[in-house]
Amino acid sequence: VQLVESGGGLVQAGESLRLSCAFSGFVADDYAIGWFRRAPGKEREGASCINADGSAYYIDSVKGRFTISIDTARNTVYLQMNSLKPEDTAAYYCAATAGTVIPAKTINPEAFDYWGQGIQVTVSS
């Protein structure tokens, strides 16, 4: 299993970025894929995840601004991030796990088995 993130960078507050996660080694029909982030001095947190049935989940701080989607023909998961804020600054990671993930209040990183290397997103004020 391999996951490779791309699309990060430096943007100003209010702007948008789209992160991509190209995956290989598994079939998307059987996996859940998530986007996590770790801000400086903070613990890793799940931002969003999507299941094979298309059900998607978001943490409250990104609801209405971030959209997760999957292109099974390209084996790629996207995270469209709009109205970015300085507090979105973090290293973003793509992760995958077999089966379905139904988060409670948070998207638990421990539920995901495979991880990408991460990519930096910096939002300046």
Side-chain angles (χ1 to χ4, degrees):
V1 173
Q2 187 174 23
L3 303 109
V4 179
E5 302 93 340
S6 62
L10 171 64
V11 296
Q12 293 189 333
E15 294 185 340
S16 298
L17 274 177
R18 188 178 76 163
L19 302 183
S20 299
C21 171
F23 59 86
S24 60
F26 64 92
V27 178
D29 289 350
D30 301 324
Y31 277 68
I33 301 174
W35 283 99
F36 296 81
R37 62 187 186 181
R38 188 193 297 272
K42 295 187 178 181
E43 294 195 0
R44 181 177 50 181
E45 67 173 359
S48 179
C49 69
I50 187 167
N51 290 307
D53 64 1
S55 56
Y57 300 88
Y58 303 90
I59 55 171
D60 287 345
S61 60
V62 308
K63 280 180 182 176
R65 301 188 298 121
F66 290 13
T67 303
I68 191 170
S69 62
I70 185 167
D71 184 339
T72 54
R74 297 179 183 270
N75 279 2
T76 301
V77 172
Y78 302 100
L79 186 67
Q80 178 66 43
M81 306 186 295
N82 298 330
S83 302
L84 282 161
K85 304 176 181 180
E87 50 263 45
D88 295 317
T89 294
Y92 282 73
Y93 300 86
C94 178
T97 190
T100 299
V101 172
I102 303 177
K105 299 183 77 173
T106 61
I107 303 170
N108 183 6
E110 300 301 322
F112 288 77
D113 298 312
Y114 306 101
W115 290 82
Q117 291 299 306
I119 195 163
Q120 182 65 33
V121 171
T122 302
V123 185
S124 64
S125 57

